[in-house]
Amino acid sequence: RKEVEQDPGPFNVPEGATVAFNCTYSNSASQSFFWYRQDCRKEPKLLMSVYSSGNEDGRFTAQLNRASQYISLLIRDSKLSDSATYLCVASGNTPLVFGKGTRLSVIA
Amino acid sequence: SQTIHQWPATLVQPVGSPLSLECTVEGTSNPNLYWYRQAAGRGLQLLFYSVGIGQISSEVPQNLSASRPQDRQFILSSKKLLLSDSGFYLCAWSPSGGETDTQYFGPGTRLTVL
C-alpha cells in the first residue's frame, strides 16, 4: 500500500469553479501534513501546512481527518494561475512522504 | 532569509560517465538536507538525507552516493550513470531538528542520460 495516495487527475475546471482534492495517508503516526504546489518543470513550493483544526489561506482551505486518515484541499474561485500539480505530504517513516500529485488545469 | 542553490540547472551525460551535483544553503545553520529524484511523470523519490556533516541516510539502494563535506553543502554523486538515472534532481532543506517540518526545495537539476 502506498504511503500517500492521490487521484492523479487531471482535473479540468473552468475559471471561477470550486475544486477539491483528497489524499489518504497510511501511517497513523503521521503528525505533520502539507500541500505543495509544483508548476511544470519547476521545484515544489509549499502552499500551506494542514492543521488538525483545519486552516484557510485566502481561496485555499485545507482539512485533516485523522480518523479516516485523509487530507483535503479546497480551492475556491479558481484562477488560470492555479493550474499546477498539487502534492499531498505527510510525515512518515522517512522524514516526509510526498504523494505523486494531482494535476489541475483551469481553463478560460 | 534562507536560500538554496543547485547547479547545474541542466545536464546531459552519456551512460557510464560520472556525476556530481551540488547543493548549498545560505542563511541557516545545521540544516537537514535532502536529495530527491523525480522521474518523468512520477512522484518524488527520497534518495538521501543528512542531519549533519558526514551523516548520510540512504533511502534507496542504487548507484548513487551522497556526501556532506560542509554544514551547508550536499553533494550527489555517481561513478557510472545508467539510463534510469535520468530525471529531475531536487535538493531540499529543513530546519535543524525538524525532520518532519516543512522542506524547502532548490530549483533542481534536470539530468538526461543518453
Side-chain angles (χ1 to χ4, degrees):
Chain A
R1 181 181 173 187
K2 296 177 183 176
E3 294 188 65
V4 175
E5 292 201 53
Q6 297 182 247
D7 181 342
F11 284 59
N12 299 313
V13 302
E15 273 187 290
T18 295
V19 60
F21 306 137
N22 290 327
C23 127
T24 59
Y25 61 95
S26 62
N27 188 343
S28 59
S30 293
Q31 293 295 319
S32 304
F33 307 92
F34 310 93
W35 283 101
Y36 278 72
R37 170 194 169 127
Q38 185 173 22
D39 292 296
C40 186
R41 300 180 70 82
K42 298 288 189 179
E43 74 273 26
K45 293 184 178 178
L46 177 68
L47 178 65
M48 58 197 305
S49 301
V50 185
Y51 303 122
S52 297
S53 56
N55 47 299
E56 188 174 308
D57 183 2
R59 299 181 293 108
F60 299 85
T61 301
Q63 297 277 351
L64 168 64
N65 185 318
R66 285 191 183 275
S68 301
Q69 293 184 206
Y70 81 77
I71 308 156
S72 65
L73 177 67
L74 183 76
I75 305 175
R76 291 180 298 277
D77 188 23
S78 298
K79 311 291 185 190
L80 293 175
S81 57
D82 294 334
S83 297
T85 297
Y86 291 84
L87 308 178
C88 174
V89 188
S91 60
N93 294 327
T94 54
L96 290 180
V97 181
F98 287 77
K100 290 187 177 181
T102 298
R103 193 150 55 93
L104 171 66
S105 291
V106 181
I107 49 182
Chain B
S1 64
Q2 301 85 9
T3 55
I4 179 168
H5 305 278
Q6 283 187 249
W7 61 91
T10 59
L11 193 58
V12 180
Q13 292 284 100
V15 169
S17 63
L19 174 73
S20 181
L21 303 180
E22 189 163 344
C23 169
T24 58
V25 180
E26 296 176 356
T28 186
S29 295
N30 196 30
N32 299 316
L33 297 172
Y34 311 85
W35 277 112
Y36 290 88
R37 176 171 61 203
Q38 189 174 39
R42 308 283 295 275
L44 283 170
Q45 179 186 30
L46 179 64
L47 302 174
F48 301 96
Y49 70 96
S50 170
V51 298
I53 295 175
Q55 300 178 64
I56 309 292
S57 296
S58 174
E59 292 299 312
V60 182
Q62 65 240 314
N63 67 321
L64 299 172
S65 62
S67 62
R68 185 169 176 173
Q70 299 181 47
D71 181 42
R72 289 169 288 176
Q73 184 185 30
F74 206 20
I75 297 173
L76 182 70
S77 303
S78 174
K79 292 182 179 178
K80 286 187 178 182
L81 284 168
L82 307 172
L83 285 174
S84 58
D85 291 325
S86 293
F88 191 33
Y89 286 82
L90 290 155
C91 180
W93 75 274
S94 67
S96 175
E99 284 81 16
T100 58
D101 282 350
T102 304
Q103 291 180 15
Y104 301 93
F105 288 85
T109 295
R110 198 160 297 278
L111 172 67
T112 303
V113 182
L114 301 174

